[in-house]
Short mmCIF file of all heavy atoms in Angstrom, two decimals:
data_model
loop_
_atom_site.label_atom_id
_atom_site.label_comp_id
_atom_site.label_asym_id
_atom_site.label_seq_id
_atom_site.Cartn_x
_atom_site.Cartn_y
_atom_site.Cartn_z
N ALA A 403 -45.56 -94.17 65.78
CA ALA A 403 -46.37 -95.13 65.03
C ALA A 403 -45.41 -96.03 64.23
O ALA A 403 -45.75 -97.18 63.97
CB ALA A 403 -47.30 -94.48 64.12
N ALA A 404 -44.24 -95.59 63.95
CA ALA A 404 -43.32 -96.50 63.19
C ALA A 404 -43.01 -97.69 64.01
O ALA A 404 -42.62 -98.67 63.55
CB ALA A 404 -42.09 -95.73 62.88
N LEU A 405 -43.11 -97.58 65.31
CA LEU A 405 -42.90 -98.68 66.24
C LEU A 405 -43.89 -99.85 65.87
O LEU A 405 -43.55 -101.01 65.83
CB LEU A 405 -43.07 -98.35 67.69
CG LEU A 405 -42.19 -97.17 68.20
CD1 LEU A 405 -42.45 -96.97 69.68
CD2 LEU A 405 -40.71 -97.53 67.96
N ALA A 406 -45.06 -99.44 65.62
CA ALA A 406 -46.09 -100.43 65.23
C ALA A 406 -45.86 -101.02 63.84
O ALA A 406 -46.19 -102.16 63.64
CB ALA A 406 -47.45 -99.86 65.22
N ALA A 407 -45.26 -100.30 62.94
CA ALA A 407 -44.88 -100.75 61.67
C ALA A 407 -43.82 -101.78 61.73
O ALA A 407 -43.65 -102.57 60.85
CB ALA A 407 -44.52 -99.59 60.82
N CYS A 408 -42.98 -101.85 62.79
CA CYS A 408 -41.95 -102.97 62.82
C CYS A 408 -42.22 -104.36 63.31
O CYS A 408 -43.11 -104.57 63.96
CB CYS A 408 -40.75 -102.52 63.49
SG CYS A 408 -40.28 -101.02 64.21
N GLY A 409 -43.97 -99.91 65.95
CA GLY A 409 -44.28 -99.28 66.95
C GLY A 409 -43.97 -97.94 67.29
O GLY A 409 -43.54 -97.59 67.14
N ASP A 410 -50.57 -73.05 85.56
CA ASP A 410 -49.65 -72.27 86.32
C ASP A 410 -49.45 -72.99 87.56
O ASP A 410 -50.35 -73.32 88.29
CB ASP A 410 -50.13 -70.93 86.44
CG ASP A 410 -49.61 -69.98 87.47
OD1 ASP A 410 -49.08 -70.34 88.49
OD2 ASP A 410 -49.83 -68.85 87.24
N GLY A 411 -48.20 -73.39 87.72
CA GLY A 411 -47.88 -74.38 88.63
C GLY A 411 -47.70 -73.90 90.10
O GLY A 411 -47.16 -74.57 90.94
N LYS A 412 -48.24 -72.74 90.44
CA LYS A 412 -47.99 -72.15 91.80
C LYS A 412 -48.78 -72.98 92.83
O LYS A 412 -49.89 -73.28 92.67
CB LYS A 412 -48.50 -70.73 91.92
CG LYS A 412 -47.67 -69.80 91.02
CD LYS A 412 -48.15 -68.37 91.13
CE LYS A 412 -47.38 -67.40 90.26
NZ LYS A 412 -47.76 -65.99 90.40
N GLY A 413 -48.00 -73.40 93.88
CA GLY A 413 -48.65 -74.07 94.93
C GLY A 413 -48.85 -75.58 94.76
O GLY A 413 -49.44 -76.21 95.54
N LYS A 414 -48.38 -76.04 93.61
CA LYS A 414 -48.71 -77.51 93.28
C LYS A 414 -47.81 -78.36 94.07
O LYS A 414 -48.28 -79.49 94.29
CB LYS A 414 -48.56 -77.68 91.78
CG LYS A 414 -49.69 -76.99 91.04
CD LYS A 414 -49.58 -77.13 89.53
CE LYS A 414 -50.69 -76.33 88.80
NZ LYS A 414 -50.54 -76.33 87.42
N ASP A 415 -46.67 -78.01 94.60
CA ASP A 415 -45.86 -78.90 95.36
C ASP A 415 -46.56 -79.20 96.67
O ASP A 415 -46.60 -80.25 97.18
CB ASP A 415 -44.48 -78.32 95.65
CG ASP A 415 -43.61 -78.25 94.41
OD1 ASP A 415 -44.00 -79.00 93.36
OD2 ASP A 415 -42.51 -77.66 94.42
N ASP A 416 -47.26 -78.14 97.22
CA ASP A 416 -48.02 -78.20 98.45
C ASP A 416 -49.14 -79.18 98.28
O ASP A 416 -49.38 -80.07 99.05
CB ASP A 416 -48.49 -76.90 98.95
CG ASP A 416 -47.33 -75.99 99.36
OD1 ASP A 416 -46.28 -76.58 99.67
OD2 ASP A 416 -47.59 -74.75 99.30
N THR A 417 -49.81 -79.10 97.17
CA THR A 417 -50.96 -79.92 96.85
C THR A 417 -50.50 -81.34 96.75
O THR A 417 -51.22 -82.31 97.24
CB THR A 417 -51.63 -79.55 95.45
OG1 THR A 417 -51.89 -78.20 95.56
CG2 THR A 417 -52.88 -80.28 95.20
N SER A 418 -49.32 -81.59 96.16
CA SER A 418 -48.78 -82.94 96.06
C SER A 418 -48.46 -83.54 97.44
O SER A 418 -48.80 -84.68 97.65
CB SER A 418 -47.49 -82.89 95.23
OG SER A 418 -46.96 -84.23 95.11
N ASP A 419 -47.92 -82.70 98.26
CA ASP A 419 -47.63 -83.19 99.62
C ASP A 419 -48.87 -83.62 100.34
O ASP A 419 -48.90 -84.69 101.01
CB ASP A 419 -46.87 -82.09 100.44
CG ASP A 419 -45.48 -81.79 99.82
OD1 ASP A 419 -44.93 -82.76 99.18
OD2 ASP A 419 -44.93 -80.80 100.09
N LYS A 420 -49.89 -82.79 100.19
CA LYS A 420 -51.20 -83.04 100.89
C LYS A 420 -51.71 -84.36 100.33
O LYS A 420 -52.34 -85.14 101.08
CB LYS A 420 -52.16 -81.91 100.70
CG LYS A 420 -51.73 -80.62 101.43
CD LYS A 420 -52.71 -79.46 101.20
CE LYS A 420 -52.24 -78.22 101.94
NZ LYS A 420 -53.23 -77.15 101.52
N ALA A 421 -51.73 -84.50 99.06
CA ALA A 421 -52.24 -85.68 98.40
C ALA A 421 -51.52 -86.90 98.87
O ALA A 421 -52.15 -87.93 99.16
CB ALA A 421 -52.13 -85.61 96.90
N ALA A 422 -50.23 -86.78 99.00
CA ALA A 422 -49.46 -88.00 99.43
C ALA A 422 -49.86 -88.34 100.91
O ALA A 422 -49.88 -89.56 101.20
CB ALA A 422 -47.99 -87.70 99.25
N LYS A 423 -49.98 -87.31 101.72
CA LYS A 423 -50.31 -87.55 103.07
C LYS A 423 -51.70 -88.13 103.28
O LYS A 423 -51.91 -89.00 104.23
CB LYS A 423 -50.17 -86.29 103.95
CG LYS A 423 -48.72 -85.77 104.02
CD LYS A 423 -48.63 -84.45 104.73
CE LYS A 423 -47.23 -83.93 104.81
NZ LYS A 423 -47.17 -82.62 105.51
N ASN A 424 -52.62 -87.70 102.46
CA ASN A 424 -54.00 -88.15 102.63
C ASN A 424 -54.28 -89.55 102.03
O ASN A 424 -55.21 -90.22 102.38
CB ASN A 424 -54.94 -87.21 101.92
CG ASN A 424 -54.92 -85.80 102.69
OD1 ASN A 424 -54.65 -85.76 103.88
ND2 ASN A 424 -55.23 -84.70 101.99
N ALA A 425 -53.36 -89.91 101.06
CA ALA A 425 -53.53 -91.19 100.35
C ALA A 425 -53.06 -92.26 101.27
O ALA A 425 -51.95 -92.24 101.83
CB ALA A 425 -52.87 -91.23 99.05
N SER A 426 -53.78 -93.33 101.44
CA SER A 426 -53.44 -94.48 102.27
C SER A 426 -54.07 -95.78 101.69
O SER A 426 -54.96 -95.76 100.82
CB SER A 426 -53.82 -94.27 103.72
OG SER A 426 -55.24 -94.14 103.82
N GLY A 427 -53.61 -96.86 102.21
CA GLY A 427 -54.15 -98.11 101.73
C GLY A 427 -53.58 -98.64 100.40
O GLY A 427 -52.71 -97.96 99.87
N PRO A 428 -54.03 -99.78 99.98
CA PRO A 428 -53.52 -100.35 98.67
C PRO A 428 -53.85 -99.50 97.47
O PRO A 428 -54.81 -98.72 97.52
CB PRO A 428 -54.18 -101.70 98.69
CG PRO A 428 -55.43 -101.50 99.37
CD PRO A 428 -55.08 -100.63 100.48
N TRP A 429 -53.01 -99.58 96.44
CA TRP A 429 -53.18 -98.83 95.26
C TRP A 429 -53.11 -99.81 94.02
O TRP A 429 -52.26 -100.73 94.02
CB TRP A 429 -52.04 -97.78 95.10
CG TRP A 429 -52.17 -96.97 93.87
CD1 TRP A 429 -52.93 -95.89 93.62
CD2 TRP A 429 -51.40 -97.11 92.55
NE1 TRP A 429 -52.76 -95.30 92.36
CE2 TRP A 429 -51.79 -96.11 91.74
CE3 TRP A 429 -50.49 -98.06 92.19
CZ2 TRP A 429 -51.24 -95.94 90.46
CZ3 TRP A 429 -49.89 -97.91 90.95
CH2 TRP A 429 -50.37 -96.90 90.07
#
Side-chain angles (χ1 to χ4, degrees):
L405 303 181
C408 355
D410 159 341
K412 295 181 179 179
K414 290 179 182 173
D415 287 350
D416 293 337
T417 305
S418 177
D419 291 340
K420 291 177 182 178
K423 291 176 182 178
N424 293 334
S426 60
W429 179 83

